């Protein structure tokens, strides 16, 4: 636990952390007050007020956060109105679309930056502004470690896509039409015109991809104003939510309501239930384990499998369902959905509002049973994610089986192995490749170290010639992740990864591989003696990075089943306050 947080539950101005910078009679505090005047502030405007850092992941290259600069102004308005002093502080943006090899490689860097910015400046509380996939866990991980009062402002989903009378989901329908293009069923002109219909406004992907899965999970954790996660990015309600979050965080500081008082084991269990009921992204498994680790809460893969078996999928949202986030919001949003699951949730825990989770769900209604299904008519009777184990994944693997062809959930096929993404691209459409619809596509070197960063390669492409024969799903196995907007019988997050010598590294072309989702099994049907022989032959690859952040990353990243945090960030231990006065 950080030493930043005071144990008292109500603060006076002289108790504020920022008072160490601005109060007192020393030379340093004199300098801090003088430099505040340089910022254009009169003493009576800010001294004695909680300093609120608005950590903004806006960037000109992140379309999902394009509106966050404007929203930060509204957060600041709320902070001023509530008697605080807002300070906008830009932090890294992680654009899921543009950042390579994958923004997952930089989630922990954002988490470090968040923690250290909060720690090293005269900050009393924080508003965390993000939403594009990895920004949400990155900000929350850092805030949990810093343990200053904080509230998360989700960027909100973009408007629904439209194209020639068809409603489109970003990501999901792009993958779908990419397959149709490769199958030759749509023209080049159609493919090009599709670009204008997929993403019509600022905001995060409007399917139940990783962005909406994670912002919903954080709302369920109690770190977001109730109902905020699904507000469309350009809805006027989003402006009001931003200002209300700014107002609320000031009281959070005075109440000393820190993340460690909100993020307990019950909160994380409810977040997992939420992800399952939403049919959410498999990326949430990794992120929630990492976030719980920062709260020193032991959350493991088996918790996901257990809760998934107990939780029906109620949200009928793409890619597993039919609707989009805008529909979900107007159907009642997360509060409506969670109210239907109230007897499975921990209603007496405190949230960022200072009220209990149960109080925040009270009175929630569902306005469209087709979008948020009733308990007696779920989209699926069990949450869509299963955790698999076996000799191919001793430390576990996951599959989002609700988004897969049911015919493949019990399947044995012969492996077709690709060693890395480049090899996959080079050979997947090679006419000489021996492959059928029953083959199992295997991708190695796509894990946390081997990817690096576990890129979202897990939905391996189906060869063009099989697409033209009408094949739309195959069993695929990798140590990669998969976009939350993707789908298919894709076994992901195989741990340990092949790059560090996990059994995935030992698979050869033609080996039988068995996927058995009902039995939660993933097996390489090769005799143990032969596997031992292959292991003796296996040689660790040369290090990919010899310097810089890549080297730091490779040395400290944990495997997928442990959340891919840096072990030195996840472990408990003291971290002194900086000397200020
Ligand atoms: Fe930003 Fe999907 S690309 S949320």
């Amino acid at each position: 636990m950080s030493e930043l947080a005071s144990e008292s539950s109500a603060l006076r101005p002289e108790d504020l952390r920022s008072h160490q910078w601005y109060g007192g009679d020393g030379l340093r505090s004199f300098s801090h007050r003088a430099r505040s005047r340089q910022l254009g502030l009169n003493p009576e405007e800010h001294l004695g007020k909680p300093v609120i850092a608005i950590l903004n992941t806006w960037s000109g290259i992140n379309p999902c956060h394009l509106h966050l600069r404007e929203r930060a102004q509204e957060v600041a308005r709320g902070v001023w109105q509530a008697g605080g002093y807002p300070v906008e502080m830009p932090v890294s943006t992680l654009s899921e679309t543009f950042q390579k090899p994958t923004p997952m490689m930089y989630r922990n860097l954002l988490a470090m930056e968040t923690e250290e910015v909060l720690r090293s400046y005269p900050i009393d509380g924080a508003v965390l502004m993000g939403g594009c996939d990895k920004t949400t866990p990155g900000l929350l991980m850092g805030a949990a470690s810093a343990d200053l009062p904080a509230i998360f402002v989700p960027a909100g989903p973009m408007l629904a896509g439209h194209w020639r009378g068809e409603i489109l989901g970003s990501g999901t329908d792009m993958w779908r039409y990419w397959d149709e293009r490769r199958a030759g069923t749509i023209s080049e002109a159609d493919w090009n015109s599709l670009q204008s219909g997929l993403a019509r406004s600022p905001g995060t992907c409007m399917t139940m991809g990783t962005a909406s899965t994670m912002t919903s999970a954080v709302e369920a954790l109690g770190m977001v104003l109730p109902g905020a996660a699904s507000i469309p990015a350009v809805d006027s309600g989003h402006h009001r939510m931003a200002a209300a979050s700014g107002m609320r965080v000031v009281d959070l500081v005075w109440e000393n309501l820190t993340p460690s008082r909100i993020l307990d084991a019950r909160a994380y269990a409810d977040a997992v239930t939420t992800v399952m009921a939403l049919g959410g992204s498999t990326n949430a498994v990794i992120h929630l384990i990492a976030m719980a680790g920062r709260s020193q809460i032991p959350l493991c893969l088996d918790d996901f499998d257990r809760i998934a078996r107990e939780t029906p999928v109620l949200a009928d949202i793409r890619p597993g369902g039919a609707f989009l986030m805008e529909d979900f919001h107007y159907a009642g949003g997360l509060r409506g959905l969670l109210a239907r699951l109230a007897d499975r949730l921990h209603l007496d825990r405190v949230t960022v509002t200072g009220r209990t989770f149960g109080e925040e769900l009270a009175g929630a209604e569902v306005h469209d049973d087709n979008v948020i299904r009733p308990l007696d008519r779920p989209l699926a009777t069990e949450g869509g994610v299963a955790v698999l184990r076996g000799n191919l994944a001793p430390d576990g693997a996951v599959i989002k089986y609700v988004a897969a062809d049911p015919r493949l959930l019990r399947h044995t096929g012969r492996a077709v192995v690709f060693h890395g993404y480049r090899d996959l691209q080079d050979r997947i459409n090679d006419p000489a490749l021996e492959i059928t619809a029953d083959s199992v596509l295997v991708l190695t070197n796509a894990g946390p170290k081997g990817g690096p960063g576990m890129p979202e390669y897990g939905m391996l492409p189906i060869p063009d010639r099989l697409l033209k024969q009408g094949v739309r799903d195959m069993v695929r196995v990798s140590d990669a992740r998969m976009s939350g907007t993707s789908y298919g019988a894709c076994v992901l997050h195989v741990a340990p990864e092949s790059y560090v010598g996990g059994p995935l590294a030992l698979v050869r072309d033609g080996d039988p591989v068995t996927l058995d989702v009902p039995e939660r099994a993933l097996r390489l049907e090769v005799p143990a003696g032969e596997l031992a022989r292959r292991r003796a032959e296996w040689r660790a690859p040369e290090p990919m990075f010899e310097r810089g952040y890549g080297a730091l990353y490779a040395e400290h990243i944990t495997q997928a089943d442990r959340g891919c945090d840096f072990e030195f960030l996840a472990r408990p231990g003291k971290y002194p306050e900086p000397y200020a006065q």
Side-chain angles (χ1 to χ4, degrees):
M1 185 64 58
S2 163
E3 294 178 11
L4 290 175
S6 161
E7 288 303 314
S8 65
S9 58
L11 302 185
R12 301 163 299 167
E14 57 269 34
D15 297 326
L16 291 173
R17 186 170 175 269
S18 58
H19 185 76
Q20 296 173 52
W21 274 258
Y22 297 113
D25 194 28
L27 178 60
R28 288 188 178 212
S29 54
F30 173 86
S31 169
H32 298 148
R33 293 193 296 266
R35 293 295 180 162
S36 295
R37 291 178 193 241
Q38 185 184 12
L39 287 166
L41 290 164
N42 295 309
E44 60 274 20
E45 286 184 89
H46 73 102
L47 291 179
K49 294 181 175 180
V51 182
I52 306 298
I54 302 172
L55 297 190
N56 194 352
T57 52
W58 174 89
S59 160
I61 200 163
N62 191 340
C64 308
H65 293 182
L66 208 57
H67 56 309
L68 291 190
R69 201 149 58 164
E70 181 188 14
R71 279 315 168 276
Q73 303 300 313
E74 286 149 341
V75 171
R77 170 164 56 93
V79 172
W80 282 123
Q81 287 175 343
Y85 164 31
V87 182
E88 188 178 359
M89 306 184 90
V91 289
S92 316
T93 204
L94 310 179
S95 169
E96 195 60 32
T97 306
F98 290 106
Q99 196 170 26
K100 307 297 178 200
T102 160
M104 181 64 181
M105 191 165 158
Y106 299 99
R107 182 199 67 182
N108 298 346
L109 188 63
L110 174 61
M112 285 174 73
E113 185 184 16
T114 298
E115 178 180 350
E116 296 306 325
V117 163
L118 294 179
R119 190 187 306 285
S120 57
Y121 281 98
I123 304 301
D124 298 303
V127 178
L128 315 168
M129 302 188 70
C132 189
D133 291 22
K134 316 301 180 286
T135 56
T136 302
L139 289 164
L140 264 292
M141 288 160 71
S145 290
D147 205 26
L148 292 175
I151 191 167
F152 182 71
V153 169
M158 64 177 91
L159 295 176
H162 278 267
W163 184 62
R164 299 184 177 175
E166 188 183 345
I167 303 287
L168 296 179
S170 56
T172 303
D173 287 300
M174 182 181 71
W175 313 126
R176 188 165 63 83
Y177 274 109
W178 173 238
D179 283 352
E180 297 306 324
R181 183 195 182 213
R182 292 192 299 130
T185 58
I186 67 167
S187 70
E188 199 65 19
D190 287 347
W191 174 244
N192 285 330
S193 78
L194 187 68
Q195 286 177 23
S196 304
L198 278 167
R200 295 171 49 231
S201 79
T204 52
C205 290
M206 73 316 232
T207 55
M208 190 48 72
T210 304
S212 287
T213 302
M214 289 311 302
T215 54
S216 301
V218 173
E219 181 173 330
L221 284 170
M223 293 294 291
V224 175
L225 289 184
S230 61
I231 302 174
V234 295
D235 191 295
S236 63
H238 199 270
H239 299 245
R240 296 191 299 275
M241 179 272 292
S245 300
M247 293 188 79
R248 175 58 195 152
V249 72
V250 177
D251 284 340
L252 268 182
V253 171
W254 292 124
E255 295 162 13
N256 196 24
L257 186 47
T258 53
S260 60
R261 292 173 61 194
I262 296 172
L263 299 174
D264 61 13
R266 299 169 300 170
Y268 282 103
D270 288 349
V272 176
T273 299
T274 300
V275 170
M276 296 306 161
L278 292 169
S281 164
T282 46
N283 282 322
V285 178
I286 294 177
H287 295 322
L288 283 172
I289 288 174
M291 291 160 63
R294 295 303 188 93
S295 302
Q296 306 305 318
I297 303 290
L299 186 69
C300 66
L301 287 178
D302 292 336
D303 294 318
F304 285 83
D305 196 81
R306 175 178 53 77
I307 293 174
R309 289 177 192 259
E310 298 165 354
T311 310
V313 180
L314 299 186
D316 192 345
I317 305 176
R318 298 181 207 186
F323 296 95
L324 294 173
M325 285 305 293
E326 221 175 316
D327 308 305
F328 181 63
H329 182 65
Y330 297 116
L334 193 64
R335 289 179 67 245
L337 178 136
L338 292 180
R340 292 194 156 166
L341 295 167
D343 60 351
R344 299 155 198 252
L345 301 170
H346 300 88
L347 300 176
D348 57 346
R349 59 188 175 84
V350 72
T351 73
V352 80
T353 63
R355 294 183 291 272
T356 65
F357 193 38
E359 286 173 314
E360 297 303 352
L361 294 182
E365 292 180 48
V366 171
H367 309 296
D368 188 338
D369 282 345
N370 292 319
V371 181
I372 301 174
R373 301 283 192 92
L375 285 168
D376 60 1
R377 194 166 58 84
L379 193 69
T381 52
E382 291 186 4
V385 173
V387 174
L388 310 168
R389 291 184 195 275
N391 67 345
L392 196 45
D395 292 337
V398 303
I399 181 170
K400 185 173 176 177
Y401 65 90
V402 285
D405 184 339
R407 173 183 69 81
L408 295 172
L409 299 183
R410 238 181 191 142
H411 180 83
T412 298
R414 298 216 169 257
V416 178
V417 185
F418 300 93
H419 298 288
Y421 188 62
R422 184 58 54 87
D423 182 36
L424 172 70
Q425 284 185 310
D426 288 347
R427 292 195 300 119
I428 189 69
N429 286 314
D430 184 342
L433 193 67
E434 289 185 24
I435 193 165
T436 72
D438 290 330
S439 299
V440 173
L441 297 170
V442 174
L443 176 66
T444 67
N445 292 335
K449 291 191 182 188
M454 291 185 85
E456 294 184 335
Y457 299 156
M459 189 172 78
L460 279 69
I462 294 169
D464 289 359
R465 71 182 127 121
L466 294 181
L467 282 173
K468 285 175 181 150
Q469 292 167 19
V471 177
R472 289 293 182 272
D473 200 1
M474 294 174 70
V475 173
R476 295 159 255 189
V477 179
S478 75
D479 42 19
R481 294 174 300 112
M482 177 174 87
S483 164
T485 60
S486 302
Y487 49 84
C490 304
V491 178
L492 311 159
H493 310 182
V494 169
E497 65 174 306
S498 54
Y499 192 82
V500 300
L504 196 65
L506 308 181
V507 185
R508 303 274 199 274
D509 282 336
D511 287 348
V513 173
T514 295
L515 166 66
D516 190 330
V517 174
E519 296 294 325
R520 300 298 197 259
L522 182 67
R523 288 192 302 273
L524 180 58
E525 310 283 6
V526 172
E530 170 61 13
L531 289 179
R533 190 188 66 74
R534 293 181 190 177
R535 171 157 303 288
E537 284 178 359
W538 183 80
R539 296 287 174 270
E542 289 290 309
M544 206 175 303
F545 300 97
E546 292 185 340
R547 59 165 298 281
Y549 176 73
L552 177 86
Y553 174 90
E555 281 167 25
H556 296 285
I557 191 76
T558 62
Q559 290 290 295
D561 59 303
R562 293 177 55 203
C564 297
D565 201 355
F566 292 158
E567 48 79 20
F568 66 88
L569 292 175
R571 68 183 175 224
K574 74 176 180 187
Y575 200 141
E577 274 277 58
Y579 174 69
Q581 292 186 20

